[in-house]
Amino acid sequence: MIGEDILLKAYHLMCTAKAMADTYEANRQICKYVHSTSRGHEAIQLATAFQLKPCDYISPYYRDESILLGLGFTPYQLMLQLLAKADDIFTGGREYYSHPNYRGEDKPGIIHQSSATGMQAIPTTGIAQGIKYLEYINSPLLRKGQNSEAPIVICSLGDASITEGEVSEAFQFAVLKQLPIIYLVQDNNWGISVSAEEARTMNASEFAKGFKGMERISIDGSDFVQSYEVMHNVVNEVREQRHPFLVHARVPLLGHHTSGVRKEFYRTEEDLTRHRLDDPNIKLRKKLIDLGASEDQLLSIQATAEKEVAEQFNQANASAEPDPSTVEKYVFVPSPVNEEKGIRTPPGNEKVVMVDAALFAIREIMEEFPEAVLYGQDVGLRLGGVFREAATLAEQFGEHRVFNTAIQEAYIIGSTVGMSAVGIKPIVEVQFGDYIYPGLNQLVTEISKSCYLSCGKFPVQTLIRVPVGAYGGGGPYHSGCVETTLLSIKGIKIVYPSNAADMKGLMKAAFLDPNPVVVLEHKGLYWSKVPGTEDAKLPEPSRDYILPLGIGNVVLKANDNAILKGESLCIITYGMGVYWARAAAKNFAGNIEIIDLRTLFPLDEALVFETVKKHGKVLVLTEEQQNNSFAEALAGRISKECFQYLDAPVEVLGALNLPAVPMNIILEKAMLPDAEKVARRIRELLEY
């Protein structure tokens, strides 16, 4: 039997949730930011919250205010987020209502997650993935409860979100690896104005049947007693047996979809009446009366809740607005790497190709950091990466640390959110730049925003390796450059090394950076097979060599005399462009200075502007299609910053503006820049 104290606590919080919803509705001009409430969902939400321990993790969704009340957050704390106030403990006024994140010893961990429905499934499954790894290596990073209780993870979802493909990716990984996660699916039969009958042929429980290894149950989520008993049993089972479980809870929707999409816009009175019959508050009230509670006792609880809510709402409304000067805080957290260290060119070290420099860097990282793991498509034991960039790593470190994934770019990228939150340092790989697009949703929606919207509590430490670039007839889907797409995403860093020494030093710095870093690795430079790229091979730097992000490099200097005569120019480039520029510069001895950016964000603007001002003429060179590219954006910034120093318009040279790189090598060559095209543009600029 459930104790009376639990039932009365649940009733008090249900009355609290109802009073909060009524207060928001009565003060619509004050509660001006879009929000949802938990009305109708309170029973399953409270029943779930009551099972959790501080060692656990939960990802609520935007209707889960009752879960937060059940975890011990106060109405005042929730209202500060509702009103986007400065003292909002979750996001400092940056984020929607019921979008929490929390690190503390007194409550379960809550990562930051978006309101993009279903998108939280992958990051939250990543938490469970990280917990399983920490258990396997018996890591001190693992949060344990009293008596060394094993942590579990709950991912809360609305039933309409189950149709999202990324939810399926999360389910697939959870059952494949048998992760300790519970997917709580609250089914109110509506996805905004779309009914279940319109949108799907099965509910979440029926859908989960297709995932072998996923236990499941369907319950009346408006019945607190049933919900409590089921969640108690499910949580205990997952805590002990360590496998995934899906709980499908049928609930009514008593409030609006959101404050901006109101129920009367699209729901019939018949539908609303049917939902009101399952009001969890009324059901629990009746249960308490049947068990002997008096009307006066229940009315007193209701009155107390209403008074508390009114007082806390007034307090929240009177609290301070955020200081505008803080708006740029928390985009990143500081990196510990701020100066070049180690020996870049140790005496006697043989030259290595770039792919081996990366391999050696990852090997040394994994030797030093047991929490480092590497995963992606085909990086495991049998192949070690399609470019052999992970060769021998699984053999050396074991398949629990270096392993293959399915073709799931969204999961590969998005899972690093949860992995990072529990202390894992994930290194993941997308096989080709052209394949990153299925993962952009996670990169944009979850990873890039996590640090900013959690006020620095949840930066995502992840290193994402992406082979890019064209050579040798790679064709439309294996040759793309994606830096402009990635650079349009705020909250991530982009590295683009052009030689073996930079590769190793930047790889180490990217790994140690507590923020998300994407390393773009030109596959045409991996082995120096492309004519003219022999200089990409360099002696392997020392084990402790680290090259900070955001520092460009002068790879070729112009002659001082040419500069004085106004007969010089600079080329700003990166990646393969470095080698086209160097080859072209041989035709203009002493006239050309070449800057290798090395890191595209953060960008070494000081070096770029200083160099441009010295020469007065500049060519920005890229392999990407030119129109609307990063190179053109950089040219615009140069024009503005260096306007009075320029002797000619800022020139940009990139690939032809085609939708894809053609397969045929003659067509490929026609599309791409090369040394001859660069030399022609140099000549035009020098003669300007």
Side-chain angles (χ1 to χ4, degrees), residues 196-216:
E197 291 75 19
E198 289 178 274
R200 50 195 187 272
T201 60
M202 63 192 82
N203 65 38
S205 178
E206 295 163 338
F207 180 65
K209 186 177 181 180
F211 292 88
K212 185 179 180 180
M214 178 91 75
E215 296 294 325
R216 59 196 176 90

Side-chain angles (χ1 to χ4, degrees), residues 215-472:
E215 296 294 325
R216 59 196 176 90
I217 189 170
S218 187
I219 65 170
D220 179 359
S222 67
D223 182 328
F224 177 78
V225 173
Q226 182 185 151
S227 297
Y228 186 93
E229 290 173 345
V230 167
M231 292 309 299
H232 178 78
N233 293 335
V234 170
V235 166
N236 285 343
E237 179 176 331
V238 174
R239 200 179 297 283
E240 293 171 6
Q241 299 181 24
R242 321 305 283 160
H243 61 69
F245 210 117
L246 184 140
V247 176
H248 170 245
R250 301 180 302 278
V251 292
L253 178 59
L254 302 182
H256 305 289
H257 169 70
T258 65
S259 56
V261 182
R262 305 180 65 76
K263 56 190 177 184
E264 58 267 20
F265 292 176
Y266 61 92
R267 295 175 67 183
T268 65
E269 186 56 39
E270 179 185 2
D271 175 66
L272 293 169
T273 300
R274 185 169 63 252
H275 280 244
R276 282 192 287 266
L277 294 174
D278 282 324
D279 187 332
N281 185 298
I282 295 173
K283 284 186 174 182
L284 182 55
R285 192 175 191 281
K286 183 177 184 303
K287 179 72 174 178
L288 285 165
I289 289 175
D290 291 344
L291 291 174
S294 69
E295 286 280 356
D296 287 346
Q297 181 184 15
L298 299 182
L299 287 172
S300 175
I301 290 173
Q302 180 180 334
T304 299
E306 290 172 351
K307 181 181 178 183
E308 291 170 345
V309 167
E311 290 174 349
Q312 293 184 53
F313 181 76
N314 290 335
Q315 184 184 1
N317 187 38
S319 68
E321 298 287 345
D323 181 347
S325 69
T326 65
V327 71
E328 292 185 285
K329 290 182 67 175
Y330 306 117
V331 176
F332 297 110
V333 292
S335 170
V337 180
N338 49 42
E339 60 179 333
E340 190 171 2
K341 293 181 179 179
I343 304 173
R344 181 177 175 89
T345 310
N349 275 19
E350 294 184 1
K351 290 183 177 182
V352 295
V353 292
M354 277 183 64
V355 73
D356 283 347
L359 174 65
F360 300 156
I362 301 298
R363 177 185 296 158
E364 291 169 2
I365 286 168
M366 298 191 76
E367 287 171 348
E368 184 176 353
F369 297 93
E371 62 272 30
V373 297
L374 170 66
Y375 56 98
Q377 295 169 32
D378 298 304
V379 301
L381 185 63
R382 294 186 190 89
L383 187 59
V386 294
F387 299 103
R388 304 293 289 157
E389 71 281 3
T392 74
L393 293 179
E395 183 178 326
Q396 179 176 352
F397 298 105
E399 293 184 89
H400 64 293
R401 294 188 67 189
V402 181
F403 56 90
N404 292 327
T405 65
I407 303 173
Q408 294 182 327
E409 287 82 8
Y411 189 86
I412 292 168
I413 291 174
S415 61
T416 66
V417 177
M419 295 281 277
S420 175
V422 300
I424 307 297
K425 299 180 187 299
I427 305 167
V428 297
E429 182 175 313
V430 174
Q431 203 165 75
F432 291 92
D434 304 85
Y435 299 169
I436 201 170
Y437 297 101
L440 282 187
N441 201 358
Q442 289 293 322
L443 191 59
V444 174
T445 307
E446 307 297 339
I447 290 178
S448 71
K449 295 177 173 60
S450 184
C451 185
Y452 182 69
L453 294 179
S454 68
C455 294
K457 293 192 293 295
F458 285 98
V460 180
Q461 181 170 9
T462 180
L463 194 169
I464 303 171
R465 299 182 63 184
V466 186
V468 294
Y471 84 101

Side-chain angles (χ1 to χ4, degrees), residues 417-547:
V417 177
M419 295 281 277
S420 175
V422 300
I424 307 297
K425 299 180 187 299
I427 305 167
V428 297
E429 182 175 313
V430 174
Q431 203 165 75
F432 291 92
D434 304 85
Y435 299 169
I436 201 170
Y437 297 101
L440 282 187
N441 201 358
Q442 289 293 322
L443 191 59
V444 174
T445 307
E446 307 297 339
I447 290 178
S448 71
K449 295 177 173 60
S450 184
C451 185
Y452 182 69
L453 294 179
S454 68
C455 294
K457 293 192 293 295
F458 285 98
V460 180
Q461 181 170 9
T462 180
L463 194 169
I464 303 171
R465 299 182 63 184
V466 186
V468 294
Y471 84 101
Y477 305 109
H478 300 82
S479 306
C481 291
V482 295
E483 56 265 32
T484 295
T485 298
L486 297 177
L487 286 162
S488 69
I489 305 167
K490 313 310 173 192
I492 63 174
K493 300 182 180 183
I494 311 295
V495 172
Y496 204 139
S498 68
N499 60 68
D502 288 351
M503 174 71 90
K504 186 172 184 182
L506 290 169
M507 190 74 76
K508 292 284 187 78
F511 173 80
L512 293 171
D513 199 306
N515 303 288
V517 183
V518 179
V519 180
L520 301 177
E521 306 173 18
H522 199 296
K523 57 191 178 62
L525 299 177
Y526 265 158
W527 301 94
S528 289
K529 289 183 176 179
V530 176
T533 62
E534 183 68 20
D535 286 341
K537 299 179 186 177
L538 288 176
E540 183 192 356
S542 62
R543 184 183 184 91
D544 62 346
Y545 180 65
I546 300 177
L547 179 61

